[in-house]
């Protein structure tokens, strides 16, 4: 465009880059088909209050059910981010999850993941507000999770989005904390109610002193700033006991429960 209108320019793209792009475009197409065929499925994983042992809320995790083959987000989230189709997925996930919250009493409070590009989507906050109204779901029942790296890429944009969501009455949590370039000034600015310590530090904290010390420090930062602390990848009882000793507020992981479809969740909790 900078060179003037009505011009064609030939780019030479490396093979790896073009493979990546092709893969992304295939997922973008797959996503559209999945929307039409109602193949987007939400699974839910409980998050437990460490002090009482009660389930405090559930995290909604997206899957594609392609004719019985369950496809996990690790396979398609990055691909969709590359072609900017991730906002479409976010809107679908929000619509589905909030609709389910209006029908299933077990889903008292739910955490919904937002993609790294969410703050660039002007239609996101109005979509959330509209959906909550449509299904008569109290905004305080929804927590939005955004990864630390995504927040850091655009602190001003993220702050603006989360202030808007806070005004609606929703909460906000910083996901995968410790994997980005944690700066103290940014945590101070972001209106988050909780900080989710990344699972990579948690899953070995019972046998790795460094990990233990890092989890302890992150929990202390959260508390000093008046935020709740959440630990993911709690895979055994030893970890849960350590978290209890450290005063971590919430725990999530296979030791407590795997993510599951709503039918199983209703039978289990
Ligand atoms: P996340 O938000 O950090 O979610 C936690 C991931 O860890 C989930 O993987 C969950 O199944 C897995 N997990 C839970 N407990 C354990 C455990 O004890 N051990 C281990 N090793 N893993 C555990 P999942 O569902 O494959 O999701 C991966 C990532 O994809 C999520 O990480 C999140 O960033 C993204 N994601 C998931 N659902 C959505 C969605 O609806 N929208 C968007 N934008 N992103 C999503
Ligand atoms: Mg999450
Ligand atoms: Mg996480
Ligand atoms: Mg994680």
């Amino acid at each position: 465009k900078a060179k003037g209108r009505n011009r064609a320019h030939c780019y030479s793209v490396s093979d790896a880059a073009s493979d990546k792009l092709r893969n992304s475009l295939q997922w973008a197409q797959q996503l559209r088909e999945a929307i039409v065929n109602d193949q987007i499925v939400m699974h839910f994983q409980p998050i437990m209050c460490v002090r009482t042992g009660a389930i405090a809320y559930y995290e909604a995790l997206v899957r594609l059910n392609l004719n019985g083959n369950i496809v996990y987000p690790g396979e398609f989230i990055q691909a969709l981010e590359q072609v900017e189709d991730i906002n479409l997925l976010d809107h679908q996930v929000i619509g589905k999850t909030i609709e389910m919250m209006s029908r299933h009493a077990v889903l008292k409070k739910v955490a919904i993941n937002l993609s790294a590009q969410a703050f660039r989507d002007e239609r996101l906050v109005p979509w959330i507000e509209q959906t909550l109204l449509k299904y008569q779901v109290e905004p305080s029942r929804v927590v939005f999770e955004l990864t630390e790296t995504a927040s850091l890429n655009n602190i001003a944009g993220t702050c603006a989005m989360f202030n808007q969501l806070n005004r609606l009455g929703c909460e906000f949590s910083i996901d995968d904390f410790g994997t980005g370039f944690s700066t103290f000034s940014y945590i101070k600015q972001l209106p988050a109610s909780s900080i989710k310590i990344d699972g990579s530090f948690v899953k070995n904290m019972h046998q790795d002193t460094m990990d233990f010390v890092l989890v302890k420090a992150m929990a202390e930062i959260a508390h000093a700033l008046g935020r709740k602390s959440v630990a993911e990848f709690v895979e055994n009882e030893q970890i849960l006991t350590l978290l209890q000793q450290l005063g971590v507020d919430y725990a999530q992981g296979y030791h407590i429960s795997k993510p599951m479809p709503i039918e199983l969740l209703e039978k289990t909790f």
Side-chain angles (χ1 to χ4, degrees):
K1 273 190 185 165
K3 288 183 177 169
R5 300 173 71 96
N6 293 321
R7 289 170 67 105
H9 183 80
C10 191
Y11 292 91
S12 58
V13 188
S14 75
D15 281 353
S18 73
D19 280 356
K20 209 173 155 198
L21 184 61
R22 198 173 310 117
N23 179 258
S24 290
L25 292 170
Q26 275 164 2
W27 278 114
Q29 177 61 25
Q30 184 67 259
L31 173 66
R32 280 172 177 74
E33 284 170 27
I35 293 171
V36 174
N37 302 328
D38 199 21
Q39 291 168 318
I40 298 176
V41 187
M42 301 312 300
H43 283 189
F44 298 90
Q45 185 177 31
I47 299 176
M48 191 183 89
C49 170
V50 174
R51 201 173 47 81
T52 65
I55 301 304
Y57 59 110
Y58 300 89
E59 178 170 9
L61 297 158
V62 72
R63 280 93 181 81
L64 298 184
N65 183 348
L66 305 180
N67 310 315
N69 276 334
I70 303 291
V71 186
Y72 291 84
E75 296 205 36
F76 54 85
I77 297 267
Q78 269 198 333
L80 293 175
E81 277 175 354
Q82 221 207 345
V83 285
E84 316 240 330
D85 261 358
I86 192 74
N87 294 339
L88 181 59
L89 179 73
D90 279 353
H91 283 234
Q92 289 288 317
V93 163
I94 291 162
K96 273 201 185 284
T97 306
I98 293 175
E99 185 271 331
M100 290 175 84
M101 290 176 76
S102 73
R103 284 189 296 122
H104 300 277
V106 67
L107 299 175
K108 282 195 204 67
K109 189 167 178 175
V110 175
I112 300 178
N113 290 285
L114 292 178
S115 70
Q117 264 107 11
F119 60 81
R120 284 207 261 140
D121 177 4
E122 298 128 26
R123 294 185 331 227
L124 186 79
V125 176
W127 172 250
I128 292 168
E129 188 169 15
Q130 228 173 288
T131 312
L132 288 167
L133 263 176
K134 178 174 173 190
Y135 295 108
Q136 293 289 300
V137 168
E138 274 295 315
S140 59
R141 292 171 60 195
V142 186
V143 184
F144 288 99
E145 295 191 358
L146 189 73
T147 64
E148 185 187 37
T149 351
S151 321
L152 279 169
N153 278 337
N154 188 327
I155 298 181
T158 309
C159 271
M161 175 174 74
F162 281 106
N163 281 321
Q164 282 180 295
L165 288 174
N166 271 173
R167 244 174 273 135
L168 282 187
C170 299
E171 283 178 39
F172 158 46
S173 181
I174 303 172
D175 207 349
D176 303 324
F177 186 73
T179 57
F181 299 92
S182 318
T183 77
F184 298 127
S185 62
Y186 112 95
I187 326 174
K188 203 176 89 180
Q189 285 173 54
L190 287 175
S193 57
S194 62
I195 284 172
K196 275 187 110 167
I197 302 166
D198 191 63
S200 59
F201 304 105
V202 177
K203 67 174 191 223
N204 291 319
M205 67 180 285
H206 57 304
Q207 44 199 26
D208 185 320
T209 318
M210 292 267 232
D211 283 337
F212 175 82
V213 170
L214 288 168
V215 170
K216 182 169 184 274
M218 286 186 269
E220 278 165 4
I221 290 171
H223 296 154
L225 294 169
R227 268 66 155 173
K228 299 281 188 204
S229 53
V230 188
E232 51 173 21
F233 292 17
V234 177
E235 294 184 352
N236 59 52
E237 188 64 31
Q238 281 164 282
I239 298 175
L240 192 56
T241 306
L242 290 175
L243 294 174
Q244 221 156 8
Q245 287 165 5
L246 293 180
V248 169
D249 299 289
Y250 300 104
Q252 173 182 17
Y254 296 160
H255 178 64
I256 296 152
S257 164
K258 291 212 164 179
M260 50 177 91
I262 189 70
E263 302 77 31
L264 189 57
L265 195 81
E266 280 184 321
K267 277 187 222 151
T268 316
F269 296 99

